[in-house]
Amino acid sequence: HTRLVRDWSSDVCSSDLVCIVSGSTHFHGSARLCFTPNGELMTTTLIRKANWSAVWDASLKTHRYARDSDIVFSDDRIVYVGPDYDGQWDHEIDGRSSFVMPGLINIHSHPQHEPAYRGIREEHGRPEMYDSGLYERSQAFSLDDEGCQAAAELAYGELLLCGVTTLADLSSMSPWWLDLIARSGLRGFIAPGFASSRWYMDSFHELKFNWNEQAGRKAFDEAAEFMTQAEAHPSKRLQGVVYPMQIDTCSEDLLRDCIALAEETNRPITTHASQSQVEFLLMTKRHGVSPIKWASNIGLLGPRTTLGHAIFIDDHPSIDWRAREDLNLLVDSGTSVAHCPSPFARYGHAMADFGRYYRAGVNLGFGTDVTPHNLIEEMRLAIILARVMANNIKTTDAQMVFHAATVGGAKSLLRDDLGRLEKGAKADLVMVDITQTIMRPVHDPLKSLIYHAADRAVKTVFIDGELAVDNGSVVHLDMSDAAGRLEIAQQRMLKDVPNHDFLGREAKDITPLSLML
């Protein structure tokens, strides 16, 4: 990892390298040194004879398996995928015990607070709110800034360990945010949230809104500036996402300005929509049409838009609505959907169903809306829930969810150089250890990974050609320290609950322990 100064011979040369090595990686004995225009050493890494790999077939627009392939990346780009590479290389990794796949793409996550809900959120819901606990919880439980930082660091580590290389981070603006996600090694799509109103409850059966257009406008301007700062970050791995927080908490004027900003700056735009039955009923009362239809009417739908969840569309079995047009509106507009099955499954809800959206032509991606931040487990749960909802084992399979977790996510973020192993793509890739007993027998490594092993078999992760996970350990973050800080912050949050809950209850009265103490 040596950086060479510009005045130390920028000519291409041949040199015997002496280095300290570990594991199965080593430098070539007579490597050719190449330099970037900035005078930095450009290294070429060869993964030799990957036992299995998921390579991108551009002609068929799908991933396919390859055996005994060489995968080569130079600096931050893949330069070769195929058999018997005979070019120059500096760094070799033995791939014979690996399944190599593109890095996973997470297009919807809230790392700054979700890890703090461990032991709190899993069984929490209000029958009066159609079993959703979202609204009561968001009012009663408030994590402080120190806790948010610890939560984010812990979540980033979890994401890396399950093979996520790109993250759409839907969070609040904090002075430490950009440096922390950059240090993690993740490719970050920074989505600072803002809204025209905030939810509140003063009874169990009704959701109310505290509207403040001026505050929403101020936050919108601050978010625009924050995204500009992210894109100028020295890591060069951060990009902005325009994020009006929920379709029901933002005014039409604010949403139209968000659309204009996204188009002017060529950024993606994302929001929560059709995420609950409560929201569906509120929006139909306000506008006389479904949330998706209203989004279409104001121009929010389109190829640069990703809707968080879009579960409760007009033809969902839990929605008794006269129209049946939402699914076609998503398809015809090219709008993407971020599917996060875990939080809804905990409430007893599910999309109807993933395979139906996929076959209709909706561009789907995956997110981790709750802790644990394990995208592979979300993929598995999506398959199972789809089959239950459709009463059909054929409706959804491993290929569909893998496509969504890679190129589907990349498309939603307006990137065609992510989520695939092919020449010219970013060097974001994952090495899965197929010698792990939970992966064996390795008849079909993708099925073994999704249905059985998940993060336990992820061994190595590269992002932009740089090592982010080494031998199953996160390189740049201290997850144990972050977990300790979060534990203390969670205690502060729990103690503070009576100051936020509309009935002044304690945390244990809202989310009791699973066993008597």
Side-chain angles (χ1 to χ4, degrees):
H1 300 291
T2 302
R3 292 189 180 276
L4 304 184
V5 296
R6 184 183 294 275
D7 59 359
W8 183 37
S9 181
S10 60
D11 296 331
V12 174
C13 61
S14 180
S15 165
D16 287 336
L17 302 180
V18 179
C19 56
I20 299 173
V21 299
S22 63
S24 61
T25 62
H26 63 274
F27 284 91
H28 195 287
S30 58
R32 292 175 63 84
L33 301 183
C34 298
F35 297 83
T36 70
N38 295 325
E40 296 180 336
L41 178 63
M42 179 182 292
T43 60
T44 298
T45 299
L46 164 63
I47 301 175
R48 176 82 73 184
K49 297 294 181 184
N51 197 319
W52 292 84
S53 53
V55 302
W56 181 247
D57 189 324
S59 63
L60 297 177
K61 297 182 179 180
T62 189
H63 300 286
R64 62 173 179 81
Y65 279 138
R67 301 297 306 271
D68 300 322
S69 288
D70 293 341
I71 300 161
V72 184
F73 54 93
S74 186
D75 203 20
D76 66 339
R77 295 280 174 176
I78 297 172
V79 297
Y80 181 84
V81 179
D84 303 322
Y85 176 73
D86 61 0
Q88 296 289 332
W89 50 270
D90 308 302
H91 195 201
E92 183 183 73
I93 302 173
D94 186 348
R96 289 174 295 179
S97 63
S98 297
F99 165 46
V100 181
M101 66 180 192
L104 303 178
I105 298 174
N106 184 325
I107 63 172
H108 188 103
S109 190
H110 304 286
Q112 288 186 18
H113 61 261
E114 285 300 326
Y117 291 147
R118 259 182 209 148
I120 296 169
R121 175 169 185 162
E122 296 87 353
E123 298 178 5
H124 172 239
R126 293 298 322 175
E128 302 90 342
M129 292 288 169
Y130 297 90
D131 293 327
S132 173
L134 171 63
Y135 308 107
E136 181 180 55
R137 189 173 56 252
S138 63
Q139 179 172 331
F141 295 85
S142 180
L143 189 65
D144 60 28
D145 187 68
E146 186 177 348
C148 289
Q149 186 172 359
E153 184 168 356
L154 185 59
Y156 294 156
E158 291 177 351
L159 289 159
L160 288 164
L161 290 175
C162 73
V164 168
T165 56
T166 295
L167 173 69
D169 187 345
L170 284 58
S171 292
S172 301
M173 286 170 277
S174 300
W176 45 262
W177 183 8
L178 301 183
D179 288 339
L180 177 58
I181 192 170
R183 175 161 61 88
S184 75
L186 284 162
R187 186 180 305 284
F189 281 76
I190 304 301
F194 52 89
S196 310
S197 66
R198 291 289 186 270
W199 298 314
Y200 75 94
M201 297 172 62
D202 55 20
S203 70
F204 289 132
H205 66 276
E206 185 178 6
L207 180 64
K208 296 183 178 180
F209 296 78
N210 182 15
W211 291 90
N212 189 332
E213 293 280 5
Q214 184 176 1
R217 179 63 55 182
K218 182 175 182 290
F220 168 80
D221 293 337
E222 291 171 349
E225 174 59 28
F226 196 84
M227 287 185 283
T228 299
Q229 293 176 21
E231 290 161 352
H233 194 274
S235 68
K236 300 180 180 179
R237 288 194 307 273
L238 307 184
Q239 183 177 334
V241 178
V242 181
Y243 172 39
M245 293 173 66
Q246 297 93 13
I247 198 167
D248 52 323
T249 61
C250 293
S251 67
E252 180 176 341
D253 286 344
L254 184 61
L255 287 171
R256 288 187 183 276
D257 286 344
C258 291
I259 298 164
L261 177 63
E263 291 175 348
E264 290 166 6
T265 58
N266 195 30
R267 292 184 181 123
I269 182 171
T270 191
T271 191
H272 295 79
S274 288
Q275 69 169 327
S276 74
Q277 291 156 285
V278 173
E279 176 216 293
F280 191 98
L281 294 173
L282 282 166
M283 293 296 286
T284 55
K285 184 177 181 180
R286 284 184 197 171
H287 305 291
V289 294
S290 73
I292 301 295
K293 178 65 173 177
W294 187 70
S296 176
N297 289 346
I298 67 170
L300 181 58
L301 302 187
R304 71 174 64 253
T305 297
T306 297
L307 299 182
H309 311 313
I311 286 179
F312 293 102
I313 62 175
D314 60 12
D315 64 359
H316 191 278
S318 297
I319 300 294
D320 183 16
W321 191 243
R322 63 183 181 275
R324 294 290 186 272
E325 55 184 335
D326 283 357
L327 190 62
N328 287 336
L329 288 172
L330 294 172
V331 174
D332 294 343
S333 64
T335 301
S336 297
V337 169
H339 186 40
C340 312
S342 282
F344 302 96
R346 293 175 187 180
Y347 299 145
H349 305 154
M351 174 184 280
D353 65 272
F354 185 95
R356 184 173 71 100
Y357 282 58
Y358 184 93
R359 287 185 296 276
V362 177
N363 183 59
L364 292 156
F366 275 99
T368 53
D369 196 52
V370 295
T371 188
H373 289 278
N374 192 320
L375 202 74
I376 302 173
E377 290 186 350
E378 297 292 334
M379 295 159 67
R380 177 173 67 240
L381 184 58
I383 296 172
I384 295 168
L385 289 175
R387 292 174 179 175
V388 171
M389 292 296 287
N391 193 26
N392 178 4
I393 193 173
K394 298 295 186 181
T395 188
T396 303
D397 57 29
Q399 179 275 328
M400 292 179 187
V401 298
F402 186 61
H403 182 97
T406 52
V407 292
K411 183 177 181 180
S412 78
L413 297 172
L414 311 180
R415 295 287 293 265
D416 60 5
D417 60 345
L418 302 177
R420 64 204 74 197
L421 294 185
E422 68 170 349
K423 183 177 179 180
K426 282 286 190 176
D428 297 358
L429 45 90
V430 176
M431 299 183 70
V432 175
D433 183 3
I434 59 174
T435 68
Q436 291 269 357
T437 55
I438 201 165
M439 285 289 294
R440 300 169 68 184
V442 193
H443 173 66
D444 186 326
L446 186 59
K447 288 180 182 176
S448 291
L449 179 68
I450 293 174
Y451 288 102
H452 306 281
D455 57 310
R456 288 169 287 184
V458 173
K459 185 175 184 181
T460 305
V461 176
F462 289 97
I463 303 173
D464 251 5
E466 298 181 4
L467 197 62
V469 173
D470 183 21
N471 198 28
S473 296
V474 175
V475 174
H476 303 296
L477 302 174
D478 187 339
M479 294 178 65
S480 179
D481 179 72
R485 289 184 283 122
L486 181 60
E487 205 158 41
I488 296 170
Q490 188 195 60
Q491 291 303 310
R492 294 195 299 267
M493 179 181 74
L494 295 174
K495 186 177 180 180
D496 195 40
V497 164
N499 296 322
H500 299 282
D501 178 61
F502 71 94
L503 291 177
R505 294 168 295 171
E506 295 184 8
K508 64 181 178 62
D509 299 320
I510 301 173
T511 57
L513 297 177
S514 52
L515 301 177
M516 289 186 296
L517 181 61

